[in-house]
Amino acid sequence: MLDLLARIHFSEEALRIGIKLLVALLILLVGLWLAARVANLVQRAMHRAEVDATLVSFLRNLIYGVLIAVLVVSALITAGVPSAPLVAALGASGLALGLALQGSLSNLAWGVLLIVFRPFRAGDFIHAGGVEGTVETVNLMYTQLVLPDNREAIVPNAKIGADAIINANRRGTRRFELTIPIGMQDDIAKAMAQIENLFGADPRILKEPPPTVVTGHVGEGAVNLIVRGWTRCEDLWGVQTDLLRAIKETFAKENIRIAVPQRQMTLVQAEGAKAG
């Protein structure tokens, strides 16, 4: 009789465990399908909202991963695994993983912020993280820059986010400035008029805001003329070098001297050396 009761109790317990396992498996299978559908639905919504492709992929995978983690925990609890030890183990694992990947998570967080707020885009010339160059790509972990001498720099996003970001292309135009020293005896008004004529000869120099030439300070036998003008970002270096050459050639024709620093040396001979 006792043996029969034990068998009945074992059968009922096995049936109960089997039902729990079957329900947990059903939750897992249906949950996997639903998690994929929800992640894909969010992905399509972000594409319609024209969110950056890199961020879309990351957020889609993040949502899918979170849903799978919740699904696995729910399935294990349904199967009869005690919830308190399970949650504690997951929390400890998450903490250990977070500490181990602290630097990577910082880069990841800044990568998301850079992609969302867009302080710069591919093709912009920036100074950030102690590096100056043209942005080639921006991903979730690092930003790739091409330096002016064609070297490549891989800068972690956390380093960029922790520093000031100077974007030379964001406004579309830039101001250039040249300092032209002329001789003290030269005609300042004539020199300024010649430079103003050169402004109109170069279509790359914008009319608005208007270019200017003003008198700077006087020093070391020269009067410094400050030349300022605006141009498109891509024309900046060419305009500066061409305008400087044009000023030099024009001044040579008009007999206006570009002053250079001069030093006068006086030799004094000591009396003892002279007598010897």
Side-chain angles (χ1 to χ4, degrees), residues 29 42 95:
L29 293 176
V42 172
L95 178 61

Side-chain angles (χ1 to χ4, degrees), residues 101-123:
L101 300 177
Q102 185 175 6
S104 298
L105 291 176
S106 178
N107 287 330
L108 183 63
W110 276 111
V112 172
L113 292 176
L114 291 176
I115 292 173
V116 170
F117 292 104
R118 292 285 186 157
F120 52 80
R121 299 175 182 270

Side-chain angles (χ1 to χ4, degrees), residues 15-28:
L15 180 62
R16 186 174 62 85
I17 293 175
I19 293 174
K20 284 185 176 181
L21 291 176
L22 183 61
V23 173
L25 181 61
L26 184 62
I27 290 175
L28 193 61

Side-chain angles (χ1 to χ4, degrees), residues 103 106-107 110-111 114 128-131 141-143 154-165:
S106 178
N107 287 330
W110 276 111
L114 291 176
V131 182
M141 300 302 295
Y142 61 84
T143 297
I154 306 298
V155 187
N157 287 331
K159 188 173 183 180
I160 291 179
D163 196 4
I165 300 174

Side-chain angles (χ1 to χ4, degrees), residues 1-274:
M1 185 66 180
L2 293 175
D3 185 56
L4 180 60
L5 292 174
R7 288 182 180 179
I8 294 174
H9 178 72
F10 177 78
S11 298
E12 290 177 350
E13 187 67 20
L15 180 62
R16 186 174 62 85
I17 293 175
I19 293 174
K20 284 185 176 181
L21 291 176
L22 183 61
V23 173
L25 181 61
L26 184 62
I27 290 175
L28 193 61
L29 293 176
V30 174
L32 287 173
W33 179 79
L34 285 175
R37 291 292 299 272
V38 170
N40 292 334
L41 182 64
V42 172
Q43 184 181 32
R44 288 194 294 270
M46 287 188 291
H47 277 309
R48 286 195 296 269
E50 298 183 352
V51 179
D52 186 89
T54 304
L55 187 59
V56 168
S57 177
F58 167 72
L59 292 178
R60 189 266 179 199
N61 293 333
L62 178 63
I63 292 172
Y64 184 71
V66 171
L67 291 176
I68 292 300
V70 173
L71 179 64
V72 170
V73 171
S74 301
L76 290 174
I77 293 175
T78 303
V81 178
S83 60
L86 181 62
V87 173
L90 289 175
S93 301
L95 178 61
L97 184 63
L99 292 174
L101 300 177
Q102 185 175 6
S104 298
L105 291 176
S106 178
N107 287 330
L108 183 63
W110 276 111
V112 172
L113 292 176
L114 291 176
I115 292 173
V116 170
F117 292 104
R118 292 285 186 157
F120 52 80
R121 299 175 182 270
D124 286 349
F125 189 87
I126 67 170
H127 181 90
V131 182
E132 190 174 62
T134 302
V135 178
E136 189 167 56
T137 57
V138 183
N139 62 35
L140 292 171
M141 300 302 295
Y142 61 84
T143 297
Q144 185 175 346
L145 301 178
V146 178
L147 306 187
D149 59 1
N150 209 35
R151 288 181 297 165
E152 186 177 85
I154 306 298
V155 187
N157 287 331
K159 188 173 183 180
I160 291 179
D163 196 4
I165 300 174
I166 301 174
N167 191 331
N169 298 79
R170 188 65 175 264
R171 300 285 182 172
T173 59
R174 288 184 65 181
R175 192 189 75 176
F176 64 85
E177 181 174 310
L178 301 173
T179 301
I180 310 296
I182 64 173
M184 297 289 289
Q185 294 78 24
D186 290 300
D187 189 338
I188 296 177
K190 179 181 178 181
M192 295 174 68
Q194 294 298 323
I195 295 175
E196 290 172 351
N197 291 336
L198 295 175
F199 289 152
D202 193 335
R204 295 172 298 177
I205 300 177
L206 303 179
K207 303 300 184 291
E208 291 294 336
T212 58
V213 52
V214 297
T215 305
H217 62 277
V218 178
E220 296 192 12
V223 177
N224 289 324
L225 302 181
I226 309 300
V227 181
R228 297 190 181 101
W230 292 82
T231 183
R232 292 186 299 271
C233 294
E234 60 270 21
D235 295 333
L236 179 69
W237 302 114
V239 168
Q240 285 190 124
T241 55
D242 291 346
L243 181 60
L244 186 59
R245 182 178 62 188
I247 290 174
K248 171 64 174 63
E249 293 173 351
T250 301
F251 280 12
K253 293 178 182 178
E254 299 295 331
N255 295 319
I256 301 173
R257 185 172 61 91
I258 295 181
V260 295
Q262 297 181 356
R263 296 289 184 272
Q264 182 175 355
M265 182 179 295
T266 303
L267 296 177
V268 179
Q269 188 173 18
E271 291 295 333
K274 184 177 181 180

